[in-house]
Amino acid sequence: KPTERVDVKYGPITPKHRTDADMEAFRNYGLGQFIHWGLYAIPGNEWEGVSARKGAAASEWIRTWKGPNAPKDWTTIYDNLYKQFNPKSFDPKAWAKQAKDMGAKYMIFTTKHHDGFALWPTKYSDYNITKAPYKKDIVKEVVDAYNAEGIDVYLYFSVLEWNNPDYFYKAPQNEAEQKKYDKFLQYTKNQLFELLDKYPTIKGFWFDGTWDQAWIKSYEFTYNLEKELRAKHPGLIIGSRFRNDEHGKRHFDSNGDILGDYEQGWERKLPKDVSWLDGNDWDAVMTIPPNGWGYMKDWSGLYTKTTDDILDMLMQTVSMNGNFVLNFGPDGQGKMHPGEDKLATEIGDWMKVNAEAVYGVRHVDLPTSKLGYYTQKDKNLYLTVFNRPVNNIARIAVPKNAKEVPVAAVLLANGQQLEVKHADIGLDLDKNTYYDVILPKDFQSDRAFVIKMEWGAP
Ligand code: FHN
């Protein structure tokens, strides 16, 4: 964080560490689901057998497909896809059940991505679901289905709208342009208020597409808009991607203070440690294939993350006070990719046994373990082991002056009590001492497993 504080008029609106119930619920989620669904799901990153993999930045960016393979007048074809959007397999209750079984506690849903097509019957744009054969309010169906499963819903909203004539990338250069952009800003505000009116049970927004200069220069408007949204929906949770301060600083203002209630910068990457954290809340959003959030028909030749990869990222995230959000991209008929179904099942099987090491936990201030990740909740300390030691000894480094040390341990997988003994091996004489948790040789696990430890006076 900068040492010299500077004057910031359009800085944070909410305190850095909100303690209200909604924010407490946010920091306890642990695992979430992202769903990117929209017109881009119809092509699925290809068109008439031709892959857009090299022609577009990502599957949900396929409208921007350029290059020799791009179909002629592709943008027009894309902008007319809504005329065929009629997902016959769309079953939001099934999606919600799958998410529940996977162990997701919240879900972020794309109401409108950069192509501007609204999945709800907005009265502020004709480019919306009522004009598609499907007609019905997809956002409502999804919100209701997930809420019915006890899963909180956050609405993804893209400010960027590629096909909106009033959208500006660069800051407006004259009065006429400013007038047009002001119309766009008002349109954006209208849609956000409309979403809060129509879906009052949502817990927050996940904003995106806020990186262009015109929006960045509109810091007074966005500051006031955030205030108005919060006034309209008490407890609303807004991430750090929504706006910037008057110096153009995004995510964190010019004094390094977070602009919003949670940091949204961890997209397809994870922090390596907590040195950046500064007590902030955050989420990490992750795709299963490489960069593609919308449906991709063809995963061949791509590294798609395994269940073990995802569990490792999940535990790395929650061990540093974050929420891990796994992205699903249903196809144009509303079906999840078979690879997503498989992962959801396997993650869910693991969570059924080990979720107490994930939900409502916090970072543990102990020397990091070579075996996996620590999480703690109240008096319980968990070590999720990904790297099983060949000697079956899970060695726990404890600061020499610690008031409490591990006194008992149990395997979450089978409830087996484990021997715990002091191993004063003097590895780093003046800093830590060590306690060994002995793993039974006959205990086998084909996935990460959790040691739950009880602490007490040495
Ligand atoms: O451009 C978008 C992208 O399509 C996707 O929605 C991701 C999800 O976090 N956000 C933006 C890229 O940062």
Side-chain angles (χ1 to χ4, degrees):
K1 284 183 96 170
T3 44
E4 295 280 302
R5 285 191 74 83
V6 296
D7 254 356
V8 174
K9 190 166 170 233
Y10 300 96
I13 290 169
T14 42
K16 177 167 102 175
H17 196 86
R18 282 172 44 181
T19 53
D20 56 279
D22 290 312
M23 205 58 217
E24 277 302 316
F26 178 90
R27 56 178 71 99
N28 291 335
Y29 287 141
L31 176 61
Q33 180 188 38
F34 214 149
I35 294 185
H36 273 71
W37 201 36
L39 300 182
Y40 40 81
I42 295 171
N45 215 34
E46 58 186 63
W47 190 253
E48 293 171 354
V50 178
S51 169
R53 200 176 279 185
K54 296 213 172 11
S59 47
E60 71 287 352
W61 277 62
I62 194 170
R63 183 179 184 272
T64 65
W65 186 1
K66 294 269 182 298
N69 293 342
K72 275 194 332 314
D73 61 337
W74 167 246
T75 310
T76 310
I77 295 171
Y78 183 93
D79 285 346
N80 285 288
L81 287 174
Y82 73 93
K83 292 176 182 164
Q84 57 178 292
F85 191 51
N86 193 12
K88 296 281 185 223
S89 311
F90 175 44
D91 180 351
K93 291 190 177 69
W95 286 6
K97 175 84 176 55
Q98 180 180 53
K100 176 83 176 185
D101 292 348
M102 181 173 81
K105 290 291 186 187
Y106 73 124
M107 190 276 289
I108 305 165
F109 185 70
T110 47
T111 58
K112 177 189 76 170
H113 204 262
H114 308 333
D115 60 15
F117 184 72
L119 295 183
W120 83 97
T122 177
K123 58 177 189 286
Y124 299 103
S125 149
D126 282 343
Y127 199 45
N128 72 63
I129 193 65
T130 62
K131 301 293 184 294
Y134 187 75
K135 292 199 183 320
K136 289 178 290 181
D137 184 346
I138 284 180
V139 174
K140 176 163 176 43
E141 290 186 282
V142 167
V143 170
D144 290 351
Y146 275 77
N147 284 174
E149 288 288 355
I151 298 174
D152 286 343
V153 175
Y154 287 63
L155 298 183
Y156 169 104
F157 183 93
S158 173
V159 168
L160 164 60
E161 271 201 21
W162 287 318
N163 61 351
N164 187 322
D166 298 331
Y167 186 82
F168 278 72
Y169 293 87
K170 293 193 174 31
Q173 297 304 303
N174 55 50
E175 213 175 299
E177 290 190 351
Q178 188 59 54
K179 215 159 147 5
K180 263 181 91 167
Y181 193 61
D182 288 347
K183 206 169 133 234
F184 174 78
L185 292 174
Q186 185 58 47
Y187 156 78
T188 300
K189 174 175 175 178
N190 290 340
Q191 283 201 325
L192 290 172
F193 270 66
E194 181 180 53
L195 288 167
L196 290 179
D197 277 335
K198 295 178 75 66
Y199 315 109
T201 64
I202 61 133
K203 293 295 181 183
F205 284 114
W206 206 95
F207 285 105
D208 207 3
T210 55
W211 45 72
D212 289 318
Q213 277 310 304
W215 182 261
I216 288 172
K217 292 279 184 255
S218 308
Y219 51 80
E220 188 174 356
F221 174 86
T222 58
Y223 179 86
N224 291 326
L225 178 53
E226 179 178 327
K227 280 183 111 163
E228 291 165 80
L229 291 170
R230 291 182 183 284
K232 177 175 177 59
H233 193 106
L236 187 67
I237 294 174
I238 295 176
S240 64
R241 271 195 201 195
F242 179 48
R243 65 183 178 85
N244 47 270
D245 71 9
E246 63 267 38
H247 310 291
K249 288 283 182 193
R250 300 180 65 230
H251 292 252
F252 295 90
D253 76 359
S254 305
N255 292 314
D257 294 327
I258 190 166
L259 286 163
D261 302 311
Y262 65 97
E263 168 51 13
Q264 287 180 267
W266 302 102
E267 171 184 316
R268 296 182 58 242
K269 58 180 185 273
L270 295 180
K272 60 180 172 27
D273 57 36
V274 292
S275 56
W276 70 280
L277 202 53
D278 190 26
N280 288 308
D281 294 292
W282 59 285
D283 70 3
V285 292
M286 193 61 69
T287 55
I288 296 168
N291 197 16
W293 301 80
Y295 175 62
M296 280 193 268
K297 207 174 288 179
D298 176 14
W299 283 11
S300 64
L302 298 175
Y303 183 83
T304 52
K305 295 169 191 72
T306 65
T307 298
D308 293 312
D309 290 329
I310 300 295
L311 293 177
D312 194 298
M313 293 177 187
L314 165 64
M315 295 318 290
Q316 182 175 342
T317 301
V318 296
S319 77
M320 295 188 282
N321 294 347
N323 290 325
F324 183 76
V325 185
L326 186 61
N327 182 71
F328 287 63
D331 67 14
Q333 292 306 322
K335 284 186 74 56
M336 297 298 179
H337 191 288
E340 292 166 336
D341 288 335
K342 178 175 182 290
L343 275 180
T345 304
E346 293 178 354
I347 293 164
D349 290 344
W350 190 85
M351 286 292 283
K352 282 177 185 61
V353 175
N354 302 293
E356 74 171 274
V358 178
Y359 297 142
V361 296
R362 291 291 177 269
H363 174 68
V364 185
D365 191 13
L366 270 181
T368 44
S369 168
K370 299 171 203 160
L371 313 186
Y373 305 99
Y374 288 122
T375 50
Q376 73 178 5
K377 185 173 180 182
D378 309 326
K379 295 283 282 177
N380 297 315
L381 185 123
Y382 304 93
L383 172 58
T384 303
V385 176
F386 287 86
N387 313 309
R388 180 167 184 159
V390 288
N391 61 3
N392 281 316
I393 293 175
R395 183 154 288 168
I396 315 287
V398 180
K400 265 214 150 115
N401 59 359
K403 301 265 180 302
E404 297 200 315
V405 297
V407 292
V410 65
L411 279 172
L412 286 192
N414 59 14
Q416 199 171 347
Q417 288 293 331
L418 305 176
E419 185 193 354
V420 179
K421 59 188 191 184
H422 187 208
D424 201 348
I425 50 173
L427 201 59
D428 43 4
L429 285 174
D430 53 353
K431 273 198 298 181
N432 298 315
T433 184
Y434 298 84
Y435 285 79
D436 286 355
V437 177
I438 313 302
L439 294 167
K441 284 193 176 53
D442 59 357
F443 169 67
Q444 296 306 318
S445 174
D446 58 4
R447 289 234 193 276
F449 56 89
V450 177
I451 300 171
K452 176 177 178 180
M453 281 168 269
E454 210 184 298
W455 287 55

